[in-house]
Amino acid sequence: SSENIERSDFRNFTGYILKQYEDIQSLEWIPRVPDYRREAYESAARREGLSVFQLTERIAQGKMKSAEKRKEYFPVYFVEPYKGNEIMLGFDLASDPTIREAMEAAGKSGEIIAARKINLLGKATSEFSIAVFAPVYRGGALLDSDKARWDNLEGLCAVVFSISSSVEESMSYLAPAGIDFIIYDTSGPGKEELLYSHTSRARKTLMPDKESETGPRLTKILEVGGQKWTIIYSAAPEFVAA
């Protein structure tokens, strides 16, 4: 819609989306920054009022340092809402191998791709998020191969959302029916990763762990941004009794 999108434009554009979807933790613009343009990007952000802006990478939970010199960077340059996501500004997402893998897959394929279970802010928490990336290419570029798409990649738009908030929001429209369910990420090799566990609101007792479950069960597979999620539904005693 424009040759140049300013920080205020991004804030105005994303505001209504954030009001509509409360499970979204952040909306981001992530430009592809070659090393020779690093200083220009940092200086431009500082002129916009972000006086201590720099490209960063994570060193520990909730702690950042100046990003090591690399051939190129994929920093979070715009982020909304700003409050609560301040630490993300300037964070080179490519410094995280899991996130870089997802961004490369999106950039080369032209598809919307999700990163596997992540903790972007590095906080000590049992709740995890999903980051979903959409590639943005140079206008008019020929995008007929993985190489052509990667060579013409300008950056990526990203949405980060809370798995638990998203599931709970969708469940709020349903009446309790005595069904428990567990969501696993079964995309990668090896052990499945727990994403979310839902105990039916109709339950009067604690939900047992997966290994001890008995009774009716149903397994479904969902494709989420190139990832495979396995959902296991099981009947709570209240469902069987009814």
Side-chain angles (χ1 to χ4, degrees):
S1 64
S2 174
E3 286 295 320
N4 295 294
I5 302 298
E6 297 183 356
R7 211 164 290 275
S8 58
D9 298 325
F10 188 79
R11 183 179 304 113
N12 293 336
F13 181 77
T14 58
Y16 83 97
I17 301 174
L18 294 169
K19 289 178 182 178
Q20 188 175 0
Y21 300 102
E22 294 183 0
D23 55 330
I24 293 179
Q25 294 177 326
S26 66
L27 292 165
E28 303 168 0
W29 165 237
I30 305 154
R32 184 182 198 174
V33 180
D35 185 59
Y36 72 87
R37 295 197 64 196
R38 173 176 178 168
E39 186 175 341
Y41 268 83
E42 291 177 331
S43 297
R46 290 169 188 161
R47 287 194 300 271
E48 293 172 341
L50 302 173
S51 58
V52 294
F53 181 91
Q54 62 176 334
L55 271 57
T56 61
E57 61 186 59
R58 185 183 298 130
I59 54 175
Q61 284 187 350
K63 294 184 179 180
M64 301 288 191
K65 70 169 185 176
S66 179
E68 297 289 339
K69 183 179 175 64
R70 301 184 182 90
K71 179 182 177 182
E72 62 181 8
Y73 313 87
F74 286 86
V76 177
Y77 202 65
F78 295 163
V79 61
E80 291 295 333
Y82 175 70
K83 187 176 181 179
N85 291 297
E86 297 92 338
I87 195 173
M88 290 302 300
L89 268 178
F91 177 42
D92 178 19
L93 293 174
S95 65
D96 183 307
T98 299
I99 300 174
R100 181 174 179 88
E101 181 182 359
M103 291 194 300
E104 284 190 355
K108 291 178 180 179
S109 68
E111 303 291 333
I112 293 175
I113 298 293
R116 299 186 66 196
K117 184 176 74 171
I118 58 172
N119 183 351
L120 266 183
L121 297 180
K123 295 179 179 177
T125 177
S126 59
E127 294 189 7
F128 289 86
S129 305
I130 291 293
V132 183
F133 299 96
V136 177
Y137 301 101
R138 294 187 181 93
L142 183 63
L143 307 173
D144 58 349
S145 68
D146 287 2
K147 184 178 185 304
R149 284 186 285 270
W150 184 252
D151 289 347
N152 288 286
L153 182 69
E154 288 276 12
L156 304 108
C157 292
V159 56
V160 180
F161 65 88
S162 160
I163 298 171
S164 61
S165 294
S166 183
V167 174
E168 288 163 11
E169 173 69 15
S170 64
M171 293 295 295
S172 68
Y173 299 98
L174 304 176
I179 301 294
D180 304 324
F181 64 87
I182 302 175
I183 305 176
Y184 292 96
D185 183 342
T186 49
S187 307
K191 188 178 179 180
E192 58 195 14
E193 291 188 274
L194 176 66
L195 295 177
Y196 182 76
S197 177
H198 173 79
T199 299
S200 171
R201 292 163 287 171
R203 258 191 181 275
K204 296 181 176 63
T205 58
L206 293 176
M207 182 175 70
D209 60 30
K210 179 186 174 187
E211 286 69 26
S212 64
E213 288 172 354
T214 59
R217 295 174 65 188
L218 178 68
T219 299
K220 292 285 188 179
I221 305 295
L222 282 182
E223 294 290 334
V224 181
Q227 304 298 317
K228 185 170 74 172
W229 289 8
T230 298
I231 308 179
I232 302 174
Y233 301 91
S234 59
E238 289 73 13
F239 179 87
V240 177

